[in-house]
Amino acid sequence: RGLRARADGLTRAHEARSWEHICGLAARIGLHDGALPDRHTVLRCLRGAGPAAEEWLRQVDGNSRVNASPPPAGTFCSPSAALLVALLRHAEAMGGASGGTPLCPKGELIARARALCEQPFCSLEEQLAAPAGALRCASLQQLPALLTLGYAKERKRKGACPSGVVYELLPAGRARAEALVREGEAPPAA
């Protein structure tokens, strides 16, 4: 939550790289499979966070206004976790109806994730209406982390969605999404 607030505060063009980095770090935190109780654990477990991330996390640690309580049951604080569980929910709803792994249209993925997450999402319509690069949504910026971590695969299907983009849930993503549903975002430390 604290990193999200920091990302929302980065609005100038020269801060774009920092914004992308914060969103990526927040995504990796949300998808991490163990407890991350403090910034030291985050930096130790998530390679490539860097010194800037350490400073951001220090600011979050010192901010008493950041809500540290767990989200309500069935919802997620992390947009990346909500996106992954939304892909799982879509796959479960579709079953094997289409023969093989169901593909989730981007608009449906956003709508499902929005319903599961306490963080705001820009709609697909807002994305398509905005000039290229003009709309920055910290929640949707976490979507590339699912691809990088091998949890989902992006495919182009012109007729499936107005964006022409669909997502496939991969086996590693299914396993992590099932764990998120079962244990929540912050499983107890072993």
Side-chain angles (χ1 to χ4, degrees):
R1 292 178 182 136
L3 287 176
R4 169 61 187 250
R6 172 76 176 141
D8 287 344
L10 299 173
T11 57
R12 294 188 298 272
H14 72 276
E15 296 173 323
R17 300 270 303 159
S18 292
W19 179 79
E20 290 171 1
H21 187 66
I22 287 176
C23 292
L25 180 63
R28 290 175 31 219
I29 289 171
L31 294 170
H32 189 71
D33 61 357
L36 296 171
D38 56 39
R39 74 174 181 270
H40 305 292
T41 309
V42 169
L43 294 170
R44 190 173 56 250
C45 293
L46 300 178
R47 295 177 318 165
E54 184 173 2
E55 178 57 30
W56 300 326
L57 291 167
R58 185 180 346 285
Q59 291 171 4
V60 169
D61 268 356
N63 187 347
S64 61
R65 295 182 306 194
V66 174
N67 181 1
S69 63
T75 62
F76 296 90
C77 174
S78 167
S80 57
L83 286 161
L84 191 58
V85 172
L87 279 172
L88 175 66
R89 296 285 186 240
H90 175 78
E92 290 171 344
M94 296 302 292
S98 60
T101 306
L103 301 176
C104 183
K106 187 174 185 178
E108 183 174 338
L109 175 60
I110 293 169
R112 285 180 180 269
R114 181 186 277 179
L116 293 170
C117 190
E118 64 179 29
Q119 305 290 335
F121 276 81
C122 296
S123 70
L124 180 63
E125 293 76 21
E126 290 171 311
Q127 275 193 311
L128 295 175
L135 182 67
R136 293 187 359 175
C137 176
S139 295
L140 290 177
Q141 185 60 35
Q142 294 188 26
L143 188 55
L146 301 180
L147 310 178
T148 302
L149 293 169
Y151 289 161
K153 189 169 191 173
E154 182 178 284
R155 298 186 182 279
K156 305 292 183 201
R157 297 288 188 275
K158 288 183 183 180
C161 176
S163 70
V165 177
V166 296
Y167 294 91
E168 176 185 357
L169 181 63
L170 299 176
R174 176 178 288 279
R176 184 65 193 121
E178 289 170 348
L180 284 165
V181 169
R182 192 174 48 253
E183 301 166 2
E185 286 177 288

